[in-house]
Amino acid sequence: MDRGQSQGKRKRVEEESTKGASTSSLISPVAITQGDNQYDVFLSFRGSDTRKNFTDHLYHRLVNAGTMPCFVFKDDSSIPIGEEFGSQILGAISRSKISIPIISKNYATSKWCLRELIHMMDCKNSMSHTVLPIFYKVKPSYVRHLKGNFGNAFRSQKHFEEKDIREGRHALDAVSYLNGWESKKFANGHEGKLIERVVKTVIRKLQVGFQLIVPKQLAGLDGRMKEIMNWIDNPSTNARMIGICGMEIMNLIGNPSTYARMIGIYGMGGIGKTTLAKCIYNQLLNKFEHVSFLPDVQETTRCHGITYLQSLLLLDILNEKTKVSRIDYGINIIKSRFRQIKVLVLLDDIDNKNQLDALARERNWFMEGSLIIVTTRNKAVLDQSEFEVDYKYELNGLDLEQALLLFNRHAFRTDQSPNDFEGISRDIISTMGGLPLTLEVVGAYLYGKMNRDVWEEVLEELKNQPHEDVQKTLRISYDGLREGHKQIFLDIACFFIGKHSTLPMYMWKDCGLSPSQGVEELKLRCLIKIDDYGLFRMHDQLRDLGRSIFCEKHQLEKGSRPWDYGYKGASKLLRVELGLGDRASWFCDLMRASRTSKDDKLVSELRYLQWRVMGSDLSLPIIDLPLPNLSVLELWGSGFTEDWEGWSLFAVRLARKRHPLSDLRVFVFCLADQTPLTAYSPFRVRHQSGLKFSTFVFVGI
């Protein structure tokens, strides 16, 4: 499979009306079923004119362009045998974002090329569909008036239906007026340069659909955006820039447009640094072909290590999966590959100079014109950077009117407070120091509560703590949750940030926590978010609040805690990774020790177990371990296939009465290489062993 292209046999259309005509499409990276594909780009061309030269080069350049993975559709290799040619092609146009008709000398001699063009223009007029024509060695005026060889070729076709001729003429006339490219005039006929321009135009238009998600209820960002964007858009006027923080002078030598630049946005947690940086990133997307957003660098480093972040950066920019085993190795790849690529990179929540050094230590790692945006709570990270940050922006709280607007949008879902609540709304706002996160969370907590006594109590609580004590303010919303929903909040904060929201729902349901209601309430109170990919997201201040409460409840001290990278100990959720030669003996020893211990806390707490196999050893020592309250067993690894011998092992062992895993509710299989796995094997295990669990979840990673 070449970037998603099917390897199966496909039919070639041999009819005279379609011979030589061809189309191809780039599929956007969305999980979809065959026959309902959503495409990025639809290419329409006359095969006899351009199939093996211009179109072929453009096709492959588009497939490998930018940072977005693209799958490819071609009529002669991707239409399943037996499926109707016409409906497939016209349907593909309707489901595309952009169409590119490559109008060549014999384009109008194909009935299907004309029908494709007619349908493109109809889609352009009736929906948000973009048409970018390329006039390949023909003049737009010849297409418009059917003159020269182009017109002669069109008139020579006697087998066309009257409807095709009439609508085809109209479509050719309309497309000739669109902004496109004339191959002979662009770059003096250099087709390579034309292809590069087409690809850049396409990628920039598609990038708009990949913007980062920002809250809808924004307030007070316009002026800040304008200030930073003015600096970005006018580099020649900033050779000597006066910094915002303390009016410190930043001496820049030469024209900043001739080298990579770095912008640092800093301020306290919850002030809106990430939101501002995302808005800037979104506004710049159409100027860059290669982009990367690394969220929560601090937390990701703690959970996975800095090499994991380096791997993500390389994957985003190069569209290549690179396993980085050492920090120095990752640095060397970034230095060698990024010097030839203009990139836009957003590094969110850097809290340590070592993180910045591993990802963007020096200016000469990057091609001229590249832009690195960094957010941090710690200004020292920017001051100590070897990159020499070009622009440092200190983000402060909202003023009273901006704060009131943001609060109203969450507390009342309008821009205005009801008259009898305006005074107390201003009083509440005055206690929060213009911090957007607290305004959002407290406002969401008060939404729908029209009893004024409740508002007075909240105001009194807020008055008893300083502006800077953000967590105490946020805890007001946490304390208002039902007990079960509090537990869900703590579980997400400690274990499931960045994890798919579906899987822990099984555990919570097994614990009787009404998870659907709980998750919905947490979303309404702005305590969590679920992104477009179904992953749990949480602001770092709320995450820290949850983990602080967890530590209080479990009397944990600083050190190794369940969410820390490499944690080895008892927990509600455990992630066990088996590398080559590693049998995770620490985990097995821990579980076996609990058998002889009077205190069964080690096993009674564990409800969710992730078992990751990175090597070839697929043995499961967990099969005989005492895990009486385990709700979810999640297996990761490319070796768990239909033929895995472990299925029979499960069937034999779990058939025993009172087996440690006999009450297991959910089996989750996360297959790293998308190995097809039917329901046959796991269901065979259930039927043969008489297990109680009723749910199997299959996740392709």
Side-chain angles (χ1 to χ4, degrees), residues 510-511 603-608 626-632 660 663:
D510 197 30
C511 296
V603 296
S604 62
E605 283 191 8
L606 187 59
R607 291 188 174 274
Y608 194 122
L627 302 171
N629 292 318
L630 188 67
S631 297
V632 180
D663 290 326

Side-chain angles (χ1 to χ4, degrees), residues 194-255:
L194 172 58
I195 287 174
E196 287 300 315
R197 175 61 63 84
V198 173
V199 169
K200 286 184 178 180
T201 301
V202 168
I203 293 300
R204 288 172 179 175
K205 289 183 177 293
L206 293 177
Q207 296 278 31
V208 175
F210 286 81
Q211 290 193 347
L212 302 179
I213 300 171
V214 295
K216 294 180 180 179
Q217 302 92 342
L218 295 176
L221 278 185
D222 290 346
R224 304 165 191 222
M225 279 278 295
K226 183 177 181 181
E227 192 169 358
I228 295 176
M229 289 303 302
N230 181 63
W231 183 87
I232 293 172
D233 293 337
N234 299 281
S236 60
T237 64
N238 296 288
R240 294 176 64 84
M241 173 59 59
I242 298 179
I244 291 179
C245 175
M247 301 301 286
E248 59 192 6
I249 302 296
M250 292 184 285
N251 296 304
L252 306 180
I253 301 173
N255 188 338

Side-chain angles (χ1 to χ4, degrees), residues 307-414:
T307 55
Y308 176 77
L309 281 165
Q310 290 178 319
S311 298
L312 291 181
L313 179 61
L314 292 168
L315 177 62
D316 282 348
I317 299 299
L318 304 178
N319 207 9
E320 299 173 3
K321 190 172 183 179
T322 305
K323 177 65 175 178
V324 178
S325 56
R326 301 183 310 277
I327 293 176
D328 288 348
Y329 177 61
I331 288 174
N332 287 333
I333 299 178
I334 294 171
K335 287 168 59 177
S336 63
R337 299 294 298 275
F338 287 16
R339 285 172 179 164
Q340 291 81 39
I341 305 173
K342 190 174 80 167
V343 301
L344 171 64
V345 177
L346 170 51
L347 305 175
D348 175 53
D349 195 22
I350 295 270
D351 77 326
N352 188 289
K353 180 178 180 292
N354 293 334
Q355 297 163 2
L356 191 57
D357 286 349
L359 300 168
R361 185 171 66 206
E362 299 179 22
R363 195 184 303 275
N364 61 13
W365 289 11
F366 303 92
M367 183 179 179
E368 61 271 14
S370 294
L371 184 64
I372 317 298
I373 304 171
V374 176
T375 71
T376 181
R377 297 187 197 179
N378 184 5
K379 181 174 176 286
V381 170
L382 305 178
D383 294 337
Q384 298 166 7
S385 171
E386 295 181 39
F387 197 114
E388 295 183 4
V389 181
D390 302 296
Y391 191 66
K392 302 173 188 177
Y393 189 95
E394 182 180 15
L395 190 58
N396 295 306
L398 302 175
D399 64 31
L400 183 59
E401 293 307 313
Q402 294 168 343
L404 181 61
L405 177 62
L406 182 60
F407 178 82
N408 287 340
R409 288 175 176 175
H410 288 280
F412 305 107
R413 306 289 167 88
T414 66

Side-chain angles (χ1 to χ4, degrees), residues 401-442:
E401 293 307 313
Q402 294 168 343
L404 181 61
L405 177 62
L406 182 60
F407 178 82
N408 287 340
R409 288 175 176 175
H410 288 280
F412 305 107
R413 306 289 167 88
T414 66
D415 290 352
Q416 303 292 329
S417 308
N419 290 336
D420 50 344
F421 279 87
E422 183 171 356
I424 194 170
S425 294
R426 289 182 178 273
D427 291 340
I428 288 175
I429 289 165
S430 68
T431 69
M432 290 188 279
L435 196 65
L437 177 63
T438 57
L439 291 164
E440 180 180 320
V441 172
V442 174

